[in-house]
Amino acid sequence: MKVLLTGDSIIARYEGLKEPHLNADLKRDCPELELNNTAVSGINSGAFFARLSELVLMQDQCDAIVILLGTNDLAIHKQVPIEQFKKNMQLIASAIVCLYWPKKVVLISPPAVDEKKQHVRNNRLIASYAKKVEEVSEEYGFHYIDLCSEMIKQGNLAELCHGQKNDGLHFGAAGYELLSRLVLEKLKQIEKDSQL
């Protein structure tokens, strides 16, 4: 199965590995996956849409596409208004459905943060932006992963959000372990659905 992974730093970061941490975890648990990662650290939904051709549309066609955006849109020091964020996500979604059947697209909410360390994002705000990602997923018939809720449900955000930067946002092994498991569940569902 060929998968395009894209979005912001949560998808892009290497965290000391030789490849993006998410790629390494996914391949460890599912070695037959062929992964292409075009994620860009620091990108928001508007900039992503502006670069959609390069990051998605001109890439080789894959069996599934996984997108995580919103982390940078909601940061209070550079915030994109929530309704503009939703419009951006709709623009991205409508362009992607030209290339990908909706049931092959997975949108992921921004992650929860450790509020003791992260000062420009909080989980209440993240949940409101996550809701917009969910609304766009429903509107277009995409798969959706509520990473924010899953992290809060798992508990121990201090451990989940602890990566090399140790900023309460960019996570290391524990956070990627959870993200990888959630992505793999969706990819297995997509693979199963495509065999029906």
Side-chain angles (χ1 to χ4, degrees):
M1 184 182 210
K2 282 175 70 176
V3 182
L4 177 60
L5 303 168
T6 193
D8 60 34
S9 63
I10 303 301
I11 303 284
R13 282 184 68 78
Y14 283 46
E15 283 294 312
L17 302 182
K18 290 185 167 68
E19 63 183 331
H21 205 304
L22 180 59
N23 290 42
D25 279 12
L26 288 170
K27 284 197 284 194
R28 178 198 65 218
D29 297 332
C30 196
E32 63 275 15
L33 284 179
E34 230 181 286
L35 303 171
N36 179 13
N37 190 323
T38 64
V40 179
S41 291
I43 203 163
N44 69 16
S45 59
F48 187 89
F49 180 66
R51 294 179 62 182
L52 192 65
S53 185
E54 161 206 350
L55 299 176
V56 175
L57 305 178
M58 288 167 61
Q59 299 295 322
D60 287 345
Q61 181 86 32
C62 290
D63 301 305
I65 178 171
V66 177
I67 305 170
L68 189 160
L69 287 166
T71 315
N72 298 300
D73 295 83
L74 62 87
I76 55 175
H77 64 302
K78 54 182 178 179
Q79 195 168 25
V80 174
I82 195 163
E83 288 308 322
Q84 182 60 53
F85 169 66
K86 184 178 180 182
K87 279 189 191 116
N88 293 346
M89 293 303 292
Q90 288 168 321
L91 288 168
I92 291 163
S94 64
I96 284 170
V97 292
C98 298
L99 202 58
Y100 286 93
W101 188 54
K103 287 292 165 209
K104 295 188 179 284
V105 181
V106 181
L107 294 187
I108 305 177
S109 80
V113 295
D114 176 358
E115 292 178 345
K116 290 185 185 81
K117 290 183 182 158
Q118 181 53 222
H119 305 298
V120 295
R121 297 166 181 88
N122 65 66
N123 292 322
R124 186 189 49 75
L125 185 61
I126 292 165
S128 63
Y129 277 70
K131 187 76 188 137
K132 298 301 175 188
V133 179
E134 183 178 21
E135 287 168 11
V136 173
S137 298
E138 283 174 6
E139 197 178 322
Y140 284 85
F142 295 164
H143 291 273
Y144 174 65
I145 296 172
D146 189 346
L147 180 58
C148 178
S149 289
E150 290 290 338
M151 289 174 76
I152 289 167
K153 194 163 59 181
Q154 184 157 322
N156 200 355
L157 288 173
E159 184 195 347
L160 282 176
C161 303
H162 184 84
Q164 286 185 327
K165 277 190 157 184
N166 197 16
D167 60 0
L169 166 67
H170 297 96
F171 40 77
Y176 281 109
E177 187 80 30
L178 174 62
L179 178 56
S180 172
R181 181 173 56 75
L182 295 169
V183 169
L184 270 179
E185 283 169 10
K186 291 296 182 191
L187 294 178
K188 283 175 181 161
Q189 199 179 331
I190 288 170
E191 197 168 37
K192 199 173 121 201
D193 291 349
S194 67
Q195 290 164 355
L196 295 177

